[in-house]
Amino acid sequence: MIWDPAQTPGVQKAVDGFEAKYPKIKVSLQQVPQDQYYTKLDASLGAGEGPDVMWQSSLAVQYATNGALEPLDKYIKQSGVKLSDYPAKIANLYKFDGKQYGIPKDQDTWTLVYNTAAFKKLGVTDVPTNDWTWDDMVKIAKELKAKQTTSDAPLFYDHQFNFGVSSLIHSLGGTVVKAGKATVASPEGEKALGMIKSLQDDGLITKIADSADYNPVTALISGTAAMAEIPSWNLSLLSQASAPEGTFHAVRVPSVDGKAFTDTNGLSYVMNANSKNKDAAWKLIEFLTSTKGAELHAAGGAGIPANTAKSALDAFVGANSKIVGLSAALTAAQKQTYLRTSSEFPATRASNPQIESTEMGPYWSGSISASDATKGIDQILDKALR
């Protein structure tokens, strides 16, 4: 059972490859909408049923500690699977009390994509590059804004606390949580907030209070946004757009003080502890996360494989070949990642809506200071961490 419709074609390709290798084992792939996934999963697992193999996220610890997931250590040992074939920070997300419960499926990466047709239409020749800085981004965005004849913002930069804001804090040399305590109330935290607010106040990004329904992918495809920060799970939407070859070009996000950190996370395949087909379920997990399985996943175009084989990343880039410069952008981006706060500290996951509504919203509107906002964020995070 999986949740992302964009990834269904790639997962099905991998399942087909598995069935070709093991013709006596039949696999039924079920895609459940994300907002229903855990509700349906909880109901089925609670009844002692559920899928043999499923996706898990940072919520996995709850399922593992409740006995719903099968420890995979004996299967890993018997099959010779090497966890070193996956980023350690992703693999370790699924290790609890010394036991490994999941094999990584994918890894998130953020890049900035620009629409070459939009730049050409506005007559702006200064374009993003893989060595650009925050100041370069602001300069280019202002050039674009000056030549626009509409009120559309030329740029999208993620302003959510768990994503764009936290990434800037890390690039500035700060931390969000350290030694079990929230650390957003810092010079780095205040500066990160100020940098994004300046983008808003200068009209370079859409006013955040009005952006609830804003879709950066759609804006980039239409050209109303000339450049946008895009997560890896949405790159395939650009590849599938009816745009001429060469329209979209990817680079890494701009650096701040020489650093360009973005958050990463990774889903994993896990086994139902109540499965009646555990040997077959393990064979499926092993294949789906192998180099061959990763290549087939990637051929669907959505989701960068966690398997670090070069051929797996090449398959993803090949599936998204309409995006110029993607290989170099991803390679540069993957060198500077940190584990997403809500992934490293799952207890904070549920606090993100409160952070956005009670601290970030008032700050973007100018009703509270950056100092007050960062202190409020720390209070919310510390309460969740206790």
Side-chain angles (χ1 to χ4, degrees):
M1 192 162 84
I2 70 172
W3 64 67
D4 185 2
Q7 296 194 50
T8 301
V11 178
Q12 188 63 63
K13 285 177 182 290
V15 166
D16 292 345
F18 171 80
E19 290 185 327
K21 183 175 181 178
Y22 298 100
K24 294 183 179 181
I25 304 176
K26 302 303 178 185
V27 180
S28 174
L29 175 61
Q30 182 181 19
Q31 183 263 316
V32 176
Q34 188 167 4
D35 60 353
Q36 303 171 27
Y37 184 86
Y38 282 106
T39 301
K40 185 165 186 174
L41 188 63
D42 290 349
S44 61
L45 294 179
E49 300 173 350
D52 297 287
V53 175
M54 69 201 89
W55 280 4
Q56 266 296 352
S57 65
S58 54
L59 294 177
V61 62
Q62 300 174 23
Y63 292 85
T65 54
N66 288 331
L69 304 185
E70 178 78 4
L72 302 179
D73 302 86
K74 70 175 182 180
Y75 301 100
I76 293 171
K77 184 176 181 180
Q78 291 169 2
S79 63
V81 165
K82 297 179 180 178
L83 291 176
S84 58
D85 289 339
Y86 313 91
K89 64 182 115 183
I90 305 297
N92 288 338
L93 281 175
Y94 301 97
K95 188 172 186 176
F96 315 111
D97 297 326
K99 297 178 181 179
Q100 189 72 33
Y101 286 89
I103 307 298
K105 169 199 161 294
D106 57 28
Q107 56 178 319
D108 298 341
T109 305
W110 292 75
T111 56
L112 190 134
V113 181
Y114 64 94
N115 184 322
T116 58
F119 272 73
K120 184 176 181 180
K121 180 180 178 180
L122 295 172
V124 175
T125 57
D126 191 9
V127 298
T129 62
N130 277 319
D131 61 354
W132 69 331
T133 67
W134 183 271
D135 289 342
D136 292 331
M137 182 184 75
V138 171
K139 177 176 177 290
I140 293 171
K142 287 183 176 179
E143 290 177 5
L144 292 164
K145 183 68 176 177
K147 295 192 175 184
Q148 285 181 318
T149 56
T150 68
S151 60
D152 296 320
L155 168 70
F156 172 80
Y157 193 90
D158 193 275
H159 50 74
Q160 297 174 84
F161 173 74
N162 201 35
F163 299 110
V165 173
S166 293
S167 293
L168 278 180
I169 292 173
H170 281 270
S171 291
L172 289 164
T175 56
V176 175
V177 176
K178 186 175 182 180
K181 293 283 290 181
T183 54
V184 180
S186 64
E188 295 84 5
E190 291 184 28
K191 185 174 181 180
L193 289 182
M195 290 167 68
I196 294 181
K197 190 170 188 299
S198 291
L199 295 179
Q200 173 195 255
D201 294 348
D202 290 342
L204 304 182
I205 62 173
T206 299
K207 188 176 180 182
I208 296 172
D210 299 334
S211 63
D213 296 325
Y214 183 84
N215 187 320
V217 173
T218 301
L220 194 60
I221 292 172
S222 67
T224 55
M227 49 185 180
E229 188 183 21
I230 301 293
S232 52
W233 60 87
N234 279 339
L235 289 172
S236 64
L237 300 177
L238 295 175
S239 297
Q240 295 161 12
S242 58
E245 292 285 338
T247 297
F248 304 114
H249 195 125
V251 297
R252 67 150 172 77
V253 299
S255 64
V256 180
D257 296 337
K259 298 175 183 177
F261 278 99
T262 58
D263 63 274
T264 190
N265 178 49
L267 305 181
S268 75
Y269 283 107
V270 301
M271 187 192 303
N272 186 343
N274 291 319
S275 172
K276 298 178 178 62
N277 308 289
K278 290 182 179 178
D279 287 340
W282 169 251
K283 286 185 173 68
L284 178 59
I285 292 173
E286 181 183 14
F287 182 84
L288 293 177
T289 56
S290 68
T291 298
K292 180 60 177 177
E295 291 169 0
L296 291 169
H297 269 87
I304 299 174
N307 188 301
T308 55
K310 183 178 183 299
S311 59
L313 181 60
D314 288 346
F316 179 82
V317 172
N320 293 284
S321 60
K322 286 182 67 174
I323 304 175
V324 180
L326 185 58
S327 180
L330 292 175
T331 299
Q334 289 181 342
K335 291 178 180 178
Q336 296 190 71
T337 61
Y338 67 94
L339 202 55
R340 188 174 303 153
T341 304
S342 59
S343 300
E344 186 174 7
F345 307 100
T348 69
R349 178 171 171 154
S351 66
N352 281 313
Q354 182 183 2
I355 289 173
E356 294 295 335
S357 63
T358 65
E359 305 301 331
M360 302 303 297
Y363 174 70
W364 301 134
S365 67
S367 60
I368 65 173
S369 67
S371 176
D372 287 343
T374 56
K375 289 174 183 175
I377 292 168
D378 278 353
Q379 290 176 0
I380 294 170
L381 290 176
D382 282 334
K383 183 177 179 180
L385 290 165
R386 282 201 291 269

